[in-house]
Amino acid sequence: MAAENFSSTYRCPSNIALVKYWGKKAGGIQWPANPSISITLNDLFAETTVSLSGKNTSGKPQFTFLFDHQPKPSFEPKLTQFFDRIWEQLPVVREYALAIKTQNNFPHGTGIASSAAGFGALACCLVDLQSTLLGKDFDVQLASSIARLGSGSACRSLFAEPAIWGIHPQIEGSNDDFAIPLQSPVSRNLSGLMDAVLIIDAGEKSVSSTQGHDLLNNNPYSAARYSVATQHLAQICEAFHQGDVNQFIHIVEHEALQLHAMMMLSNPYFILMRPGTLAVIEQVWQFRKETGIPLMFTLDAGANVHLLFPAAHKTAVTNFIEKQLLLYCQNEQYFCTETGKAPTKLV
Ligand code: PMV
């Protein structure tokens, strides 16, 4: 087959951070100010196909882009920036024009971040095509570092294990360029968590990630935040390993609230929670107290609430959500997913 006809299709899951990346470090492109860790959300994914569509002799990236079978001009500046960033690293981008088609399996306008899944899938396709052309094996580290250049958190979507991104003094191999899988085994108590994502506000985020990260630069509390996040990462790795559920819950919830606190402490300041977000948090605490079920919340940089729990409690948690939390969800929407799957090559 002529190289011009090569194509690659990947499904890549989204991820939710347990220790949050919020703030960038100077000196590199998309280097995190503190290390973070996340788990993948198996059933919230992007599927992307990249086809080589002829030689590229223009000296700059050439691509076409369809999102849900439609052109999406608003994504093109971000993609152009991404291709400029990976131009030196990936000959396939220099040598070929690319036709990209992508779609998410979750509806738009739900406030669920899609860039991690999208850039994760795109990076996998590009690295796969490059490996095929060069007759090499797929290089997951390269894919993770390419994904990072599209969206920082995307670099963590490439692993079945909890993924760590950013230098941590006690974690061997940790670095700012790409994510690595958690090395120590996860205790049975904390493996196979599920995530129910409650759609509290489906609207556009009031602060984009880029703006949010930037706001940490002039925030007088950011150095303390980075230091606490670094401690939290060491503690959560230990909790994963020991199966210390209480410690795990404590860190996960504290991290979610710190991310939001940092936005309240920024200038300009933002409150990203909605009244429904707070109401859900209070109900979750009450439910945990009454039942002893280790149900915990985390948050992204928006109003939606992620509820994490061991799969063994799925029935009880689903009943709780349907009876007591749906009233806080816009159009009663929520998505329940297993966690801990790596991207898959479809074609
Ligand atoms: O990858 P970005 O630049 O969209 O940043 C994502 C940051 C958070 O989702 C808020 C936290 C994280 O670590 O994923």
Side-chain angles (χ1 to χ4, degrees), residues 218-264:
N218 292 316
N219 187 320
Y221 303 92
S222 51
R225 160 64 199 152
Y226 301 148
S227 151
V228 172
T230 306
Q231 289 166 29
H232 277 166
L233 181 56
Q235 289 164 351
I236 206 167
C237 290
E238 187 61 17
F240 256 131
H241 185 55
Q242 300 294 342
D244 187 339
V245 177
N246 291 335
Q247 170 78 334
F248 188 85
I249 293 176
H250 181 83
I251 296 166
V252 167
E253 294 189 343
H254 204 182
E255 276 290 314
L257 295 179
Q258 283 193 15
L259 168 68
H260 282 246
M262 292 314 289
M263 287 295 91
M264 292 197 244

Side-chain angles (χ1 to χ4, degrees), residues 118-310:
F119 277 108
L122 180 55
C124 285
C125 293
L126 293 170
V127 169
D128 182 41
L129 284 168
Q130 168 128 322
S131 319
T132 310
L133 289 168
L134 300 179
K136 288 190 170 167
D137 289 339
F138 183 85
D139 179 347
V140 71
Q141 282 185 5
L142 177 62
S144 175
S145 79
I146 295 290
R148 180 193 105 242
L149 295 170
S151 166
S153 58
C155 76
R156 298 185 312 233
S157 267
L158 303 206
F159 305 90
E161 300 84 357
I164 295 167
W165 170 46
I167 292 174
H168 190 288
Q170 285 140 272
I171 302 177
E172 215 187 305
S174 62
N175 72 93
D176 292 334
D177 291 321
F178 52 84
I180 57 166
L182 177 67
Q183 295 301 323
S184 51
V186 172
S187 148
R188 265 218 346 233
N189 295 348
L190 287 168
S191 65
L193 292 175
M194 298 199 72
D195 184 5
V197 191
L198 308 192
I199 309 304
I200 306 295
D201 188 345
E204 282 283 309
K205 290 201 266 181
S206 50
V207 189
S208 71
S209 285
T210 311
Q211 268 176 302
H213 290 294
D214 278 356
L215 282 172
L216 280 257
N217 289 336
N218 292 316
N219 187 320
Y221 303 92
S222 51
R225 160 64 199 152
Y226 301 148
S227 151
V228 172
T230 306
Q231 289 166 29
H232 277 166
L233 181 56
Q235 289 164 351
I236 206 167
C237 290
E238 187 61 17
F240 256 131
H241 185 55
Q242 300 294 342
D244 187 339
V245 177
N246 291 335
Q247 170 78 334
F248 188 85
I249 293 176
H250 181 83
I251 296 166
V252 167
E253 294 189 343
H254 204 182
E255 276 290 314
L257 295 179
Q258 283 193 15
L259 168 68
H260 282 246
M262 292 314 289
M263 287 295 91
M264 292 197 244
L265 293 169
S266 292
N267 188 5
Y269 44 83
F270 293 92
I271 299 180
L272 305 181
M273 292 189 200
R274 308 295 311 141
T277 314
L278 256 187
V280 167
I281 291 173
E282 283 175 348
Q283 295 256 0
V284 165
W285 284 342
Q286 187 67 25
F287 175 84
R288 194 162 74 221
K289 201 166 153 199
E290 280 167 11
T291 63
I293 291 176
L295 176 68
M296 72 206 87
F297 73 85
T298 186
L299 306 166
D300 236 327
N304 294 341
V305 185
H306 289 247
L307 296 184
L308 300 174
F309 54 96

